Amino acid sequence: MKYTLPNGLKIVLVESHASPVVTFQAWVGVGSADEPAEVAGIAHVFEHMLFKGTTRRGVGQIAREIESAGGEINAWTAFDETVFHVVLASRFFDTGLDIIADGLQSSSLDEAELRRELKVVLEEIKQGEDNPSRVATQALFGAAFTRHPYRRPVIGSARTVQKLTRDIVVDFYQRWYVANNVTLVVVGDFDSTRARERIEAAFGGFRQRPLERPERTEPEQRAARAAVLPRDVREAHLAMAFHIPGIRHEDTGALDVLGIILGQGDSSRLNLEVRRNRQLVTDVYAYAYTPRDHGVLAVGASMPPTQVEAASRAVLDEVYRLAYDEVSAEEINKARTIIESENVYQKETVQGLARKVGFFETVAGDLAYEDEYHRQVQAVTPAKVREVAQRYLRADRLTAVAVIPEPSKGKEAGKAAEQMRERLLALGAASAADAERRHAASAAGAAAADEVDLDVLPSGARLIIKRDASVPVVAFRAVWLGGLRYEDARSNGISNMLAALLTRGTNTRTGEEISREVEGMAGSMGGFSGRNSFGIRAEMLSRHWERGLEILADCVQNPAFSEEEVEKQRRQVLAEIQAQEDNLSQVVFRLFNEAFYKKHPYRLDMLGTPQSVSALSRRRLVEFYRRHVSTDRMTLAIVGDVDPQRVKAKVRALFDGQPRSVQPPPEVAAEPPRTAGGPEQVFKFLNRQQAHLVVGFPGTSVKHPDRFALEVLATVLSGQGGRLFTELRDKRALAYRLNAFSLEGLDPGYFAVYLATSPQNLEAAVSGIRAEIQKLAEHPVPEGELDRARRYLVGTHEISLQRRSAVSSSLAFHECYGLGWAEYRRYAPGVLAVGAADVQRVAREYLDWKRAVITVVKPEESTPGVLKKRGIAGRARTGGAGVRHAAGVVPAVPPGIRPARDADPLRPGIE
């Protein structure tokens, strides 16, 4: 249902009763491209402020209400729109509607809150400056667009954000946040007739006003452009762009198909040629970015610094080849299938469906344009792909940006950058000319879910089937015990290597053939390894389930582990290990694991070390695999639109009769208890803008009942209405990014708090963490706060299980770990049974500051003497280059274009 209120507010209602969940998304027609240059970033700042308080609700109240309803609230800002979204259980429909209506119409914009939030945004800007790929993307748009506001980062700059005042922000709010500039999308389990009445009551008084948008033009690019940015990085990053039209153009569908053929999926041209065959890059991608106005065909890659020129030339060769070499029907069908599958998978969750609806209605300008877009995709031919490649992928439309390591001598940076810039321009021209010559010399080439069924097969394997016909998707998870728990210092990284190689070829299929077959089914398949397990995952459109299962079985039973693929993957992993140093959250958690665990394999890094990975021979890989991966130890979960009886017959035919394991599982080294001798501290010094901190305590295992109370405790601390979030982020603006979580394993894990902050705020952040932990140990959590945390955990658990892949993972892991597949059904009762006394007890028992491990990555500015003066006392010792250990006491005086804001990659999974 789609209609418009008298005040101009557009409403789109989509009923979906597959899950008891509803989402509200308010798409406001203003983004960074509507801002004057002198206040760049104001749209993003206001996005931060909208839910900070209204005339009816104080600071933090909105987050608490949403968490009490078991929901989530967030927002993002883009070039053309700002979107606020709430997702929660549908029985709390009125709560979600009231909150989003209140925020849009009555945001209070408290001046003190604004000052604090500006500090948070400045920290977010610093965080981006420490991310090389983000630096490259922002520089790419800055060079590709010379006049259009797409040239400015959505987040703005420190210079413009610092100048913002309440009067400026209020003026922005009153100008753009009006009924005739908002589209409200509501998707989920509700009745449209009743919902319409409540929406009209909530928004009937929303004011309207005429809209005047600034002119947004961009002159045609007539010559190639390039920029090179020397930075303190270990891996080089390359970003390229060619100008293309925006979303409402007849070529949009063909350009999306072209982008997928070029650089999306394992069988894409860039991945096969530049990454796998020539081993020039560690990552490579391409996609068509088509916003409201002008778009770009974006191509990017990361690589060792020594490979920048060779990789640039190889990438450009593949780009320009599209203008002359005809793509195959198979490539086009694969691209169509990927687009189709994305459309289907988006419908699995109410959030995904709402985001699709909101995009087409607001950015594309009409919900009905989705049909036109899919018509374009279905009409794409090889000739059409070549036509748009010739039209848009021209050498004079190229913009290239490279982020490279700084020369050891700072004064040479400018000279080196200019030389590299000139070489990039020359490479672009040469590659285009060579493609044209090759073409001249030769011809162009070529709905309700059934009960879960557990079956123990004669082989000993455990098969779990859950039929769900609501969406035509199927997910597989085959799991074995293993991962880091079965590794030692010598074999470290072997599980990760094996997981990557599992789909790189069998005795009858090459890795490329596997990729093409799976992507032809709108699917994905790959190995995985974690702290406790090893396995293979796959998902695809359900009509292909039998062929998909056959390929999965082939990969499990007959992996080739060829010498060639082993060497390719070894080089890839060694490059990834080196690149880890550019991701400071990974650096600080690796530092923490090494300090926290003394004997247990959990101390090891998933990727391994350069020494251990270099020593892994094919023979050792095969021996390790044969010892630990056998059918009798397999747990296989299959969830989706399938017939359970046919699945059982197929699995028996594929897996019965396979060899059984002959060796017992290895003994895992027990971790000695941590003594209460004062927090152990480890420092690593890197020249970056921010400091990253982990404070961790001994935790529990997946089988211990305290895990529920620890999860509730973590939510009380770090949810959006949590104590750390409120105290350190909202009130004191000490951190933009923070998180608290309990990480359990088959063996005891840890409870940790992570944050990123400015180095000068580090001491205050640590003191703030300690103070909040102490309060939890000394005082029971009030019932209202406790109930919000419990409802939030239960609500997010239900939301997370919308996807078949998530359900299959939960079933397989829980059964494999000895908890039983039904453990996911026991999660909500376990959380809801947690009382205030339970939270206080686990805070006292587990969060003992004297048993803590504190790891810090920060700029070098402190000596042991300075640390002692500040109260971080104790003898310091060097623990490798740039690392310092200290045992003592922390002060007792009280943390782009496509990624969503506030995405948190730090919470490890159950694997």
Side-chain angles (χ1 to χ4, degrees):
M1 179 187 294
K2 173 182 169 183
Y3 62 98
T4 303
L5 296 184
N7 56 12
L9 178 73
K10 293 182 181 179
I11 311 292
V12 183
L13 303 180
V14 181
E15 293 187 34
S16 174
H17 302 289
S19 299
V21 179
V22 65
T23 188
F24 300 86
Q25 291 190 359
W27 289 67
V28 186
V30 62
S32 64
D34 299 296
E35 304 164 341
E38 62 271 16
V39 293
I42 190 172
H44 174 253
V45 167
F46 185 77
E47 172 225 306
H48 276 236
M49 290 297 300
L50 186 79
F51 293 127
K52 283 293 181 181
T54 69
T55 55
R56 291 168 45 206
R57 292 176 167 93
V59 175
Q61 186 175 345
I62 289 177
R64 290 193 294 272
E65 286 188 44
I66 289 293
E67 289 184 352
S68 294
E72 297 176 341
I73 189 168
N74 216 324
W76 75 83
T77 308
F79 287 135
D80 300 314
E81 76 278 357
T82 305
V83 183
F84 303 89
H85 61 96
V86 173
V87 59
L88 69 175
S90 53
R91 61 182 175 271
F92 298 112
F93 182 99
D94 290 339
T95 300
L97 175 62
D98 184 59
I99 285 174
I100 204 154
D102 190 24
L104 288 170
Q105 298 175 81
S106 307
S107 184
S108 59
L109 296 173
D110 178 80
E111 187 156 7
E113 278 301 311
L114 175 61
R115 287 197 298 269
R116 281 190 285 267
E117 204 60 28
L118 289 177
K119 292 179 182 178
V120 170
V121 173
L122 291 172
E123 289 298 319
E124 191 178 356
I125 291 171
K126 289 180 182 178
Q127 181 179 313
E129 292 170 353
D130 281 340
N131 185 323
S133 61
R134 185 174 296 181
V135 170
T137 299
Q138 290 181 349
L140 178 70
F141 275 73
F145 293 97
T146 59
R147 184 181 302 167
H148 196 285
Y150 286 172
R151 70 187 310 272
R152 300 192 299 263
V154 170
I155 198 171
S157 67
R159 179 183 60 81
T160 56
V161 169
Q162 286 171 337
K163 293 180 179 178
L164 296 178
T165 65
R166 183 179 186 277
D167 288 344
I168 294 172
V169 176
V170 168
D171 180 71
F172 178 86
Y173 172 49
Q174 293 176 344
R175 178 178 181 183
W176 294 108
Y177 281 71
V178 291
N180 50 311
N181 197 36
V182 176
T183 298
L184 179 68
V185 179
V186 187
V187 176
D189 183 27
F190 61 88
D191 176 79
S192 293
T193 302
R194 293 182 59 202
R196 180 167 183 167
E197 295 173 358
R198 286 179 277 182
I199 290 169
E200 290 176 2
F203 285 99
F206 200 0
R207 60 190 176 85
Q208 61 178 313
R209 63 170 287 174
L211 296 172
E212 296 181 7
R213 297 189 183 276
E215 183 182 10
R216 308 192 318 195
T217 60
E218 176 67 21
E220 182 179 356
Q221 183 174 344
R222 299 183 181 277
R225 303 167 186 159
V228 176
L229 289 75
R231 291 289 189 272
D232 180 14
V233 296
R234 289 165 176 75
E235 189 176 42
H237 295 260
L238 178 70
M240 299 178 180
F242 298 84
H243 283 283
I244 60 175
I247 183 67
R248 292 296 293 259
H249 194 276
E250 61 184 9
D251 290 338
T252 299
L255 286 165
D256 270 347
V257 170
L258 181 153
I260 292 170
I261 291 171
L262 181 61
Q264 293 180 41
D266 288 344
S267 62
S268 66
R269 293 188 171 196
L270 286 173
N271 191 68
L272 286 178
E273 180 62 22
V274 184
R275 184 172 181 260
R276 292 193 59 190
N277 294 340
R278 299 180 64 182
Q279 295 273 291
L280 294 174
V281 299
T282 56
D283 186 34
V284 66
Y285 60 86
Y287 60 89
Y289 177 62
T290 50
R292 180 175 295 150
D293 296 340
H294 312 275
V296 293
L297 191 288
V299 182
S302 53
M303 67 222 67
T306 56
Q307 301 284 14
V308 173
E309 290 190 47
S312 301
R313 178 58 192 260
V315 167
L316 286 166
D317 285 349
E318 293 302 317
V319 170
Y320 291 132
R321 187 171 287 127
L322 287 168
Y324 301 106
D325 296 352
E326 189 165 284
V327 301
S328 67
E330 181 183 5
E331 288 178 296
I332 290 178
N333 287 334
K334 181 201 80 169
R336 284 201 194 107
T337 302
I338 288 175
I339 292 171
E340 176 194 356
S341 68
E342 287 180 350
N343 184 46
V344 171
Y345 289 137
Q346 273 191 309
K347 295 177 181 178
E348 271 200 294
T349 67
V350 294
Q351 309 97 292
L353 180 55
R355 187 162 187 163
K356 179 172 72 72
V357 169
F359 174 82
F360 279 106
E361 179 62 27
T362 59
V363 179
D366 185 0
L367 185 56
Y369 186 72
E370 181 183 6
D371 293 335
E372 166 60 18
Y373 169 75
H374 288 296
R375 185 201 63 76
Q376 289 182 13
V377 171
Q378 292 303 315
V380 171
T381 63
K384 180 64 175 179
V385 173
R386 185 167 57 184
E387 174 193 324
V388 296
Q390 290 174 347
R391 182 177 301 141
Y392 301 111
L393 306 187
R394 297 177 0 208
D396 59 352
R397 290 193 177 208
L398 168 67
T399 300
V401 170
V403 177
I404 61 173
E406 293 176 317
S408 56
K409 297 180 181 179
K411 62 183 181 181
E412 297 180 359
K415 181 179 178 181
E418 179 57 27
Q419 291 174 343
M420 176 61 73
R421 191 188 74 83
E422 292 175 355
R423 287 198 290 272
L424 285 176
L425 291 172
L427 285 169
S431 179
D434 285 352
E436 189 172 359
R437 281 194 294 270
R438 284 194 301 269
H439 175 65
S442 63
D450 291 340
E451 286 299 310
V452 174
D453 189 350
L454 171 63
D455 190 21
V456 180
L457 305 182
S459 64
R462 305 180 77 81
L463 172 64
I464 308 165
I465 306 171
K466 186 176 189 292
R467 184 179 186 183
D468 185 344
S470 60
V471 178
V473 174
V474 65
F476 307 98
R477 290 294 184 277
V479 181
W480 290 261
L481 293 180
L484 278 184
R485 289 183 76 247
Y486 285 7
E487 296 181 8
D488 55 24
R490 181 171 175 267
S491 64
N492 188 205
I494 194 168
S495 301
N496 174 69
M497 282 277 287
L498 287 169
L501 293 166
L502 205 52
T503 55
R504 295 283 182 82
T506 69
N507 296 340
T508 57
R509 291 177 170 93
T510 66
E512 293 178 14
E513 288 171 340
I514 293 171
S515 295
R516 284 197 295 269
E517 281 192 77
V518 173
E519 290 180 355
M521 296 182 280
S524 62
M525 183 178 295
F528 63 84
S529 66
R531 299 164 76 243
N532 306 285
S533 64
F534 173 88
I536 184 170
R537 57 167 67 94
E539 54 188 321
M540 60 206 60
L541 298 180
S542 55
R543 65 176 179 268
H544 302 299
W545 75 265
E546 289 187 89
R547 188 153 61 99
L549 188 57
E550 290 170 359
I551 297 172
L552 184 145
D554 192 24
C555 291
V556 169
Q557 297 166 2
N558 308 300
F561 300 140
S562 70
E563 293 282 5
E564 179 184 6
E565 290 294 342
V566 168
E567 290 308 312
K568 286 181 179 180
Q569 185 58 27
R570 189 196 316 280
R571 289 192 291 270
Q572 177 77 20
V573 172
L574 291 174
E576 290 174 2
I577 292 172
Q578 184 179 17
Q580 278 185 327
E581 291 300 310
D582 290 335
N583 187 321
L584 299 191
S585 61
Q586 290 184 3
V587 172
V588 75
F589 270 100
R590 188 169 68 245
L591 200 63
F592 174 79
N593 287 326
E594 292 169 354
F596 187 84
Y597 294 105
K598 306 303 181 185
K599 292 186 177 181
H600 197 284
Y602 287 165
R603 74 187 186 280
L604 304 172
D605 188 83
M606 297 283 191
L607 294 180
T609 66
Q611 295 76 22
S612 65
V613 172
S614 298
L616 292 176
S617 64
R618 180 184 182 276
R619 179 184 60 80
R620 287 179 60 196
L621 289 164
V622 171
E623 288 178 353
F624 190 93
Y625 184 83
R626 288 176 177 169
R627 176 179 179 183
H628 298 299
V629 181
S630 56
T631 301
D632 59 307
R633 293 178 178 173
M634 176 180 73
T635 301
L636 174 61
I638 301 177
V639 178
D641 186 13
V642 294
D643 180 343
Q645 296 307 314
R646 290 181 61 197
V647 170
K648 287 182 184 180
K650 187 69 174 180
V651 171
R652 286 172 181 261
L654 290 171
F655 288 99
D656 277 356
Q658 294 297 308
R660 300 174 70 92
S661 54
V662 296
Q663 292 181 321
E667 293 186 9
V668 178
E671 181 68 17
R674 295 196 66 82
T675 58
E680 178 183 353
Q681 299 160 63
V682 184
F683 298 84
K684 184 179 180 72
F685 300 106
L686 293 174
N687 185 22
R688 298 292 192 274
Q689 294 286 327
Q690 285 190 309
H692 293 248
L693 164 77
V694 175
V695 179
F697 306 87
T700 190
S701 70
V702 294
K703 297 183 179 181
H704 199 288
D706 281 349
R707 68 189 187 277
F708 297 115
L710 286 168
E711 282 214 52
V712 173
L713 187 155
T715 305
V716 168
L717 279 175
S718 72
Q720 286 194 350
R723 297 186 179 192
L724 289 177
F725 197 94
T726 300
E727 182 65 25
L728 301 190
R729 189 185 190 276
D730 286 352
K731 291 184 179 179
R732 301 170 65 185
L734 291 178
Y736 169 68
R737 206 168 168 218
L738 60 84
N739 191 20
F741 60 87
S742 174
L743 176 63
E744 305 88 20
L746 283 174
D747 300 312
Y750 55 79
F751 186 99
V753 178
Y754 161 84
L755 65 76
T757 187
S758 290
Q760 65 269 22
N761 293 334
L762 189 59
E763 186 175 339
V766 172
S767 297
I769 292 170
R770 185 176 186 183
E772 294 304 320
I773 288 174
Q774 190 169 351
K775 291 176 187 176
L776 285 170
E778 293 176 351
H779 307 287
V781 178
E783 185 58 31
E785 185 178 8
L786 179 64
D787 194 48
R788 282 194 301 273
R790 290 184 303 219
R791 289 190 180 193
Y792 173 77
L793 287 171
V794 171
T796 54
H797 176 69
E798 292 176 353
I799 292 168
S800 71
L801 291 177
Q802 293 179 91
R803 294 191 182 279
R804 296 358 168 223
S805 56
V807 176
S808 64
S809 291
S810 181
L811 296 174
F813 285 125
H814 287 138
E815 183 67 28
C816 183
Y817 292 168
L819 295 163
W821 63 263
E823 179 66 19
Y824 82 104
R825 292 180 176 173
R826 293 189 282 269
Y827 180 83
V831 168
L832 293 174
V834 173
D838 298 313
V839 175
Q840 187 175 16
R841 176 182 59 80
V842 296
R844 289 173 175 172
E845 292 180 7
Y846 289 88
L847 308 191
D848 181 354
W849 200 258
K850 292 181 180 180
R851 294 197 300 155
V853 172
I854 302 172
T855 56
V856 179
V857 175
K858 57 176 290 190
E860 173 112 46
E861 60 181 2
S862 299
T863 65
V866 172
L867 294 173
K868 186 173 183 180
K869 178 184 286 188
R870 290 185 176 180
I872 307 179
R875 187 173 59 190
R877 63 189 188 278
T878 302
V883 181
R884 181 173 295 127
H885 298 258
V889 182
V890 175
V893 181
I897 296 172
R898 296 199 168 192
R901 189 177 72 80
D902 285 343
D904 184 7
L906 297 171
R907 176 63 166 96
I910 194 174
E911 296 174 0

